[in-house]
Amino acid sequence: MAFDVIVVGGGVNGTGIARDLALRGIKTLLLEKRDLGSGATGACSGMIHGGLRYLIYSIETTIHSCQDSGYIQKIAPHLLFRIPFLMPIPHPATAPFFETYFEVYDKYAPLKHGLPHTRLNREQVRSLMPNLSDQVQGAITTDEWGIDPHRLCAANAKSAEEHGAVVRTYCQVTEFLKDSSGAILGVKVRNRDGSQEEIRSRLVMHATGPWLMRTSALAGVQVKIRPGKGVHLTFDRRLLNLSVILQMIDGRQSFIMPHENTSVLGTTDDDYYGDPDDLRVTEDEVEYLLQGAERFIPDIRRARVIRAWAGIRPTLYAWGKNEDALSRDHLVYDHEKLDGVRGIISIAGGKLASYRLMSEEAADLIAQKLGIAAACQTHLVPLPGGEEILDPAQVAKEYGIPTYAANRLVFRHGARASQILEPTRKHPALKQVVCRCEPVLAAELVYAIRHEWAVTLTDLRNRTRLGAGPCQGFRCAARAIPLLAEELGLSGEQALEQLLAFLQRRWRGKQPVLLGTMVDQEALNQAAYFGTFNLDRLVEPPDPDRGPGF
Amino acid sequence: MMSLSPPPAGPGQVDLVVIGSGLAGTAAALAAAGPGQAVVVVSRGSGASHLSSGALDLADDPVAVRGRPERACREVAQNLEELLRRNPAHPYHLLLDGNGSLPPLLDTMQQSFFKLFPADGHLILEGSFQHNRFAFTSLGTIKATAFVPQSTAVAGEPCLQRPLVVGLEEFPDFDPGFWPRVAAPLAEKLGAPMRGGQSGWARLGLAPDLSAPELAQLLAEAEPAERLISALRNEAKGFPGLTGIVLPPVLPIRGRGRLLERLEQAAGVPVRELLSPPPSVPGLRLGFHLEDRLAQARVRMVRGSVVGFRAEGKNLRAIAVEAAGKKQELEAAQFVLAAGSFAGGGIRKGKRFQEPIFELPIFCGNQVVGEIYTAKLTRELIAEPHLLFTCGLKADSSLRPLGPEGAPVFENLRVAGAILQGSDPARDGTGAGAALATGWRAGSLWC
């Protein structure tokens, strides 16, 4: 089977490019070595950033970010939620500076349907956030858009598939096929079951993010990035419904922000020289974030942190700059021009907010090389689910599900929520709540397995947030495994292996934040799965899963 | 914890105050209670015993081969020897005699067990001190354990040869269709194969998505119980040749025996319950049974949290108990701290490890641990054993907790159960045994 283009990497750029190509009628294969969004995309803060920060030194980035943020809202209105931002002002003397800054930013805000800034005095800030430190004299408000990056990847991949692309997860590129001149002819892959195959294409689109240096070396081309590690902490609930801009000990900015139905604190930015497949959150990183947050929110340590996770930004390479000051610009590499190697294109840098733009650039170059005239449509055609805005209350009433479950289902799937719930008419058991923290219904899990390439419990976590809440899978893992086993025809042993693999992944994110009730809860978790269910004695230990840990 | 001023003169002195009413606390209280001995138990109300599966582990096989459960050594004495050899910090060591031999430990365990679970009592446990057995769980897995509640599904029983596995629509934590996928191959490995079976569902017409304790409460009422009885009768009719029925553990906390009888009558075959993780009804039943035993032994139960103590030098004089905003002081000659580990609330880990009542130092592997990044006491793979959960108090051979210099902190305070260091109470396969044995010893020893 031959393709026009093989896209290597299933993050937001890989899936975005696959979609763009498919919409232009280009025969595309998307390959991802783990699950969609398992790299930088899944570990990001979850915001379609308007580029507020870059106003000073990269106004282009700000303009592009705002503009494309507007496009994404159009094509996937269900996926975005408004996050009001609070920027505390410790010294009234600095207020005019910030006001001026925001007055300029306000000019670009309409591009992303943002609201103009406001200024709050001490009393007004206190009424919004009574536990803010006494230091805060006032604040400026702005807003950004939050997004679920996993859903974004899934939606782009689904759109690609619906327009003729083939999507394969757990399919790792082990070699690039070359001719005698070094031109790329395709790839050799290893599947989940260990089997290998060769697949040919006219072009390879190389979008592996944190793995760019590794995979480009395999291909015989040069892509240099400056990998930047970023860590986040997740709290057990929404501490606030707005985001607060925090100042860390080293002057960096960080946020505590609403994230799905929790709050998240992050992020860090440190040069990373290690293995992108072996990410660990350190004690220092956890302390850095909490210490920074403590300055404006003195009682932050009373809140329960349920998880810590890390990711690597594939930032464009530059020497001599501090991590924070690095450009968030992106680059599409035409290796024929740069390295004299035909048949391969790479992409690096960028931000989540500019993925569609980045994909368009890459796809334009690909189309040009393939001699195809079709233009980009990704800003015009709605993503799956974005065709129509549903009213969750209506959905809840029509199918007889809890309203909150309908809210979350519509957030994740938009107009497709009805399609997911239709089978419940004939099979009411599909309305069963499997994950209570979120909540997630059985119908959604079945849909993710049948139509969104989910084959493990962690894949289901990515699609639906199963196990991502405060219980971290304590209740829902045992409920979800029979469903997965039924759908995939797993033997008992295979099902238990999957269960243990999921617990292992949950464990990885819990380890750095084992404090207070998290220790008590883990004691119960271990008593349940090892003391009673005896999994440690019955199942081979899984792959340690040294990935990002979200 | 703060020191308190002496109270006004009150009624007759208490001989022993036990903090904690789980297995260890109850064992201590029952060992001490008797004519002329006034024993008081202070309890927050529920702890890890209530959250247990209801099975009692005495000595697991530390070398059980993964995936080859049939190879697990099931002789308790052999398991004990191996365990003691591998883990020099295990609390069992405190109960051996001077030569390090087992009989005193086994004697203590047995005495304790028969006092807590008399043969004519309301909670009947099945098992032995010689062999472990494999009980089935609600996931279909098997767990090696010494004692299980009567009528728990145990591998090798004839009634499990052709089982009818029944789930309840209102109880989504159990899938009767999935259970055989796991259980059948394991039964085969154990040499007791299931020669065919069936799965079925019962609908009780209750609210959806109930927890086991909620279901147990509803099944104590006539109508839902009748529905369950009819459901099992019908399901059994549709499966000629069935040898037994397997249910998740949702039968009522009190009155289980009666309902079980009626179910077996209706179905015409034995009915067995499975073990499950918390919130587990057999665990709750165990917790309530312990309270019943204390009441029968005329041990006074004080509900509340311990918020302070009063000592004179190395002599503990009294503890302060708070409940519903009221504080009272309990004076006694002797004290036993059996407040549990993390799950029970006897030990906490914030920035530092803490025993919150007396601020006794916490040990891990015989070293004091204070402020430490918790992850350092854990291993990369979740399935591996973690030092973290073995942290606890260090005790001398009289079960008195030691300070950092190695001397007892109080002359008249003893500790028992999961609060002791050296064992992971949930995963070690010795949780109940250690609680029963150390509890009994702590209650039997006098100054």
Side-chain angles (χ1 to χ4, degrees):
Chain A
M1 161 93 95
F3 293 87
D4 290 326
V5 182
I6 293 175
V7 179
V8 181
V12 75
N13 292 326
T15 53
I17 293 169
R19 179 188 192 224
D20 200 326
L21 297 174
L23 283 176
R24 300 185 205 217
I26 297 173
K27 195 148 185 276
T28 308
L29 169 67
L30 173 64
L31 298 174
E32 161 54 51
K33 77 168 181 176
R34 293 180 63 157
D35 183 32
L36 302 179
S38 284
T41 303
C44 76
S45 301
M47 280 194 288
I48 296 290
H49 227 302
L52 169 68
R53 204 153 67 81
Y54 315 115
L55 202 55
I56 289 184
Y57 53 91
S58 178
I59 203 164
E60 291 244 322
T61 308
T62 305
I63 295 173
H64 286 146
S65 293
C66 284
Q67 192 166 50
D68 238 70
S69 183
Y71 283 140
I72 296 172
Q73 280 173 60
K74 230 177 56 173
I75 63 175
H78 58 291
L79 274 185
L80 273 71
F81 58 100
R82 188 186 294 275
I83 306 177
F85 262 68
L86 206 66
M87 178 179 236
I89 301 175
H91 304 290
T94 57
F97 163 73
F98 285 114
E99 284 242 65
T100 312
Y101 192 94
F102 278 96
E103 268 161 31
V104 178
Y105 188 62
D106 280 351
K107 294 196 190 337
Y108 304 103
L111 289 171
K112 63 176 177 75
H113 303 112
L115 299 168
H117 82 282
T118 68
R119 180 155 162 208
L120 304 178
N121 64 31
R122 207 169 177 281
E123 286 62 48
Q124 289 166 322
V125 176
R126 285 247 121 48
S127 74
L128 273 179
M129 267 196 70
N131 54 345
L132 215 51
S133 150
D134 283 336
Q135 283 184 44
V136 176
Q137 304 296 323
I140 293 194
T141 69
T142 179
D143 65 293
E144 297 289 356
W145 291 98
I147 193 167
D148 181 335
H150 295 283
R151 291 306 314 163
L152 187 58
C153 285
N156 274 286
K158 195 69 189 165
S159 175
E161 189 189 61
E162 284 174 356
H163 288 93
V166 174
V167 176
R168 290 172 64 172
T169 59
Y170 293 98
C171 191
Q172 179 167 8
V173 168
T174 54
E175 266 177 55
F176 287 85
L177 305 172
K178 301 168 188 162
D179 69 14
S180 48
S181 74
I184 304 297
L185 304 173
V187 296
K188 188 168 182 189
V189 300
R190 181 176 54 237
N191 295 308
R192 207 168 167 223
D193 59 5
S195 65
Q196 305 208 32
E197 51 183 296
E198 289 186 0
I199 313 171
R200 310 226 153 204
S201 63
R202 294 169 65 191
L203 265 180
V204 169
M205 176 67 231
H206 178 224
T208 56
W211 289 268
L212 272 170
M213 294 206 284
R214 253 190 212 182
T215 46
S216 58
L218 279 181
V221 297
Q222 258 269 16
V223 176
K224 269 182 89 169
I225 57 170
R226 209 172 132 186
K229 182 183 182 195
V231 168
H232 289 88
L233 304 180
T234 308
F235 294 95
D236 68 335
R237 71 197 72 185
R238 283 278 186 100
L239 297 178
L240 320 156
N241 284 329
L242 39 86
S243 177
V244 180
I245 301 179
L246 306 162
Q247 208 194 41
M248 303 283 106
I249 193 169
D250 53 2
R252 284 186 65 248
Q253 254 185 11
S254 192
F255 314 117
I256 180 165
M257 70 200 112
H259 187 264
E260 308 284 344
N261 52 7
T262 65
S263 282
V264 154
L265 170 60
T267 178
T268 60
D269 198 347
D270 292 299
D271 285 302
Y272 186 72
Y273 298 95
D275 181 353
D277 286 311
D278 187 358
L279 293 176
R280 281 155 213 270
V281 174
T282 68
E283 181 181 7
D284 282 357
E285 287 163 330
V286 175
E287 184 55 30
Y288 169 81
L289 287 172
L290 288 174
Q291 184 198 49
E294 210 168 28
R295 190 139 187 273
F296 285 156
I297 309 173
D299 58 1
I300 191 69
R301 290 185 200 264
R302 289 176 55 200
R304 178 156 79 113
V305 180
I306 59 175
R307 202 156 186 83
W309 30 286
I312 311 278
R313 303 170 186 75
T315 315
L316 293 182
Y317 179 84
W319 183 276
K321 278 184 176 174
N322 183 269
E323 294 97 322
D324 231 31
L326 288 170
S327 161
R328 295 317 192 215
D329 220 352
H330 60 270
L331 213 54
V332 175
Y333 298 73
D334 182 348
H335 291 294
E336 189 172 358
K337 289 211 180 93
L338 294 168
D339 305 283
V341 177
R342 287 192 337 263
I344 185 164
I345 288 167
S346 301
I347 191 163
K351 291 149 25 30
L352 189 77
S354 48
Y355 93 89
R356 198 215 57 81
L357 197 61
M358 291 167 68
S359 302
E360 180 174 343
E361 259 186 57
D364 281 346
L365 180 60
I366 290 171
Q368 182 203 319
K369 284 188 180 288
L370 294 178
I372 290 169
C376 174
Q377 295 187 71
T378 59
H379 55 307
L380 302 169
V381 178
L383 277 171
E387 303 92 353
E388 188 195 334
I389 299 180
L390 293 186
D391 176 9
Q394 282 275 63
V395 172
K397 202 163 153 210
E398 181 168 352
Y399 293 97
I401 63 172
T403 315
Y404 188 47
N407 278 355
R408 302 298 291 151
L409 193 66
V410 170
F411 167 67
R412 284 191 286 275
H413 297 275
R416 306 255 169 140
S418 314
Q419 179 189 344
I420 293 171
L421 291 170
E422 265 310 302
T424 65
R425 293 199 200 278
K426 244 175 121 183
H427 305 282
L430 286 173
K431 287 198 276 190
Q432 178 61 52
V433 172
V434 176
C435 165
R436 274 176 167 181
C437 294
E438 185 44 33
V440 183
L441 308 182
E444 190 182 355
L445 296 176
V446 168
Y447 178 81
I449 297 168
R450 293 188 188 176
H451 303 288
E452 291 187 330
W453 317 280
V455 293
T456 70
L457 289 182
T458 298
D459 294 352
L460 287 176
R461 173 260 171 264
N462 295 338
R463 301 288 180 282
T464 69
R465 290 184 57 75
L466 174 90
C471 95
Q472 288 293 296
F474 175 66
R475 278 301 277 282
C476 58
R479 280 194 185 192
I481 200 67
L483 193 152
L484 188 74
E486 177 70 35
E487 286 294 310
L488 298 180
L490 301 178
S491 71
E493 196 171 333
Q494 288 170 329
L496 295 183
E497 278 169 7
Q498 282 290 324
L499 181 55
L500 190 55
F502 184 62
L503 294 173
Q504 174 62 33
R505 172 60 172 263
R506 299 292 93 210
W507 171 241
R508 187 133 178 114
K510 285 192 248 184
Q511 269 183 300
V513 293
L514 286 170
L515 288 175
T517 45
M518 289 305 288
V519 181
D520 308 339
Q521 190 182 49
E522 187 56 30
L524 271 188
N525 194 46
Q526 303 238 340
Y529 286 102
F530 304 132
T532 300
F533 283 151
N534 210 17
L535 288 185
D536 54 332
R537 297 298 187 89
L538 297 173
V539 184
E540 286 302 317
D543 164 13
D545 194 347
R546 297 187 170 122
F550 44 72
Chain B
M1 292 269 101
M2 54 211 193
S3 275
L4 306 156
S5 50
Q13 254 251 11
V14 172
D15 295 296
L16 175 67
V17 161
V18 177
I19 302 169
S21 64
L23 276 176
T26 304
L30 293 183
Q37 310 282 34
V39 179
V40 174
V41 169
V42 178
S43 168
R44 284 180 329 174
S46 82
S49 294
H50 290 79
L51 292 167
S52 73
S53 67
L56 298 187
D57 296 341
L58 300 183
D60 203 357
D61 175 12
V63 296
V65 177
R66 202 172 357 249
R68 302 288 305 275
E70 71 283 8
R71 297 267 299 270
C73 159
R74 288 148 67 211
E75 296 275 351
V76 169
Q78 275 181 278
N79 288 348
L80 278 172
E81 271 166 19
E82 183 64 27
L83 172 79
L84 289 166
R85 199 176 61 78
R86 282 166 173 252
N87 184 359
H90 195 282
Y92 278 163
H93 281 283
L94 296 167
L95 299 159
L96 304 175
D97 66 14
N99 301 323
S101 62
L102 288 180
L105 167 61
L106 290 165
D107 280 341
T108 308
M109 251 197 265
Q110 291 197 31
Q111 271 192 294
S112 185
F113 178 86
F114 287 119
K115 189 74 179 206
L116 265 66
F117 305 105
D120 59 352
H122 288 293
L123 182 64
I124 307 296
L125 299 173
E126 283 172 352
S128 90
F129 287 94
Q130 282 72 49
H131 297 274
N132 281 336
R133 61 217 47 238
F134 283 108
F136 280 103
T137 72
S138 53
L139 196 61
T141 57
I142 48 173
K143 173 190 161 64
T145 187
F147 288 92
V148 291
Q150 195 182 41
S151 299
T152 299
V154 167
E157 278 196 292
C159 66
L160 294 178
Q161 275 176 11
R162 271 172 66 86
L164 171 62
V165 186
V166 179
L168 288 90
E169 281 186 20
E170 294 87 354
F171 186 61
D173 284 319
F174 177 64
D175 186 333
F178 177 73
W179 189 87
R181 268 190 228 236
V182 177
L186 288 173
E188 177 109 30
K189 274 191 181 159
L190 293 174
M194 294 175 185
R195 298 173 210 290
Q198 268 188 33
S199 305
W201 288 96
R203 176 188 295 185
L204 305 182
L206 302 168
D209 205 344
L210 296 171
S211 69
E214 285 169 331
L215 204 39
Q217 195 154 14
L218 290 165
L219 281 171
E221 293 167 29
E223 211 180 296
E226 289 304 324
R227 295 226 188 102
L228 181 61
I229 293 167
S230 313
L232 289 198
R233 185 185 294 121
N234 292 336
E235 290 287 327
K237 273 201 198 125
F239 184 17
L242 88 167
T243 54
I245 291 184
V246 171
L247 287 178
V250 294
L251 298 185
I253 291 176
R254 303 210 190 268
R256 173 193 188 235
R258 255 174 289 123
L259 182 52
L260 203 54
E261 236 180 79
R262 296 188 63 203
L263 291 170
E264 290 185 330
Q265 248 171 23
V269 287
V271 172
R272 295 286 180 262
E273 279 188 312
L274 301 163
L275 293 180
S276 83
S280 143
V281 175
L284 287 170
R285 206 179 283 124
L286 172 66
F288 292 146
H289 170 80
L290 297 177
E291 286 175 31
D292 290 347
R293 290 296 294 134
L294 290 172
Q296 278 161 20
R298 300 199 189 289
V299 171
R300 189 173 129 224
M301 177 92 95
V302 173
R303 286 245 193 264
S305 307
V306 180
V307 295
F309 66 91
R310 178 165 54 86
E312 277 164 27
K314 284 204 163 191
N315 228 287
L316 191 53
R317 285 286 185 224
I319 56 166
V321 180
E322 187 177 292
K326 289 211 193 114
K327 255 197 215 141
Q328 65 170 295
E329 217 195 42
L330 280 175
E331 271 192 349
Q334 300 276 336
F335 296 83
V336 169
L337 177 62
S341 182
F342 296 104
I347 308 230
R348 292 193 198 134
K349 170 71 175 57
K351 203 159 162 94
R352 63 182 179 94
F353 277 100
Q354 193 196 20
E355 180 280 300
I357 297 177
F358 301 103
E359 289 289 346
L360 298 165
I362 306 287
F363 288 77
C364 184
N366 280 322
Q367 305 260 33
V368 178
V369 280
E371 272 195 33
I372 181 172
Y373 181 45
T374 320
K376 287 199 176 130
L377 295 173
T378 64
R379 315 230 349 235
E380 181 174 29
L381 292 181
I382 190 179
E384 286 173 338
H386 307 285
L387 278 177
L388 170 62
F389 300 111
T390 70
C391 294
L393 303 177
K394 183 170 178 175
D396 65 9
S397 55
S398 300
L399 293 180
R400 283 178 299 195
L402 303 178
E405 320 302 311
V409 177
F410 296 108
E411 292 297 326
N412 58 341
L413 171 67
R414 293 192 161 75
V415 291
I419 202 171
L420 284 162
Q421 67 149 349
S423 155
D424 180 335
R427 292 183 60 173
D428 242 350
T430 64
L436 287 170
T438 57
W440 190 263
R441 174 71 68 86
S444 320
L445 286 169
W446 296 99
C447 248

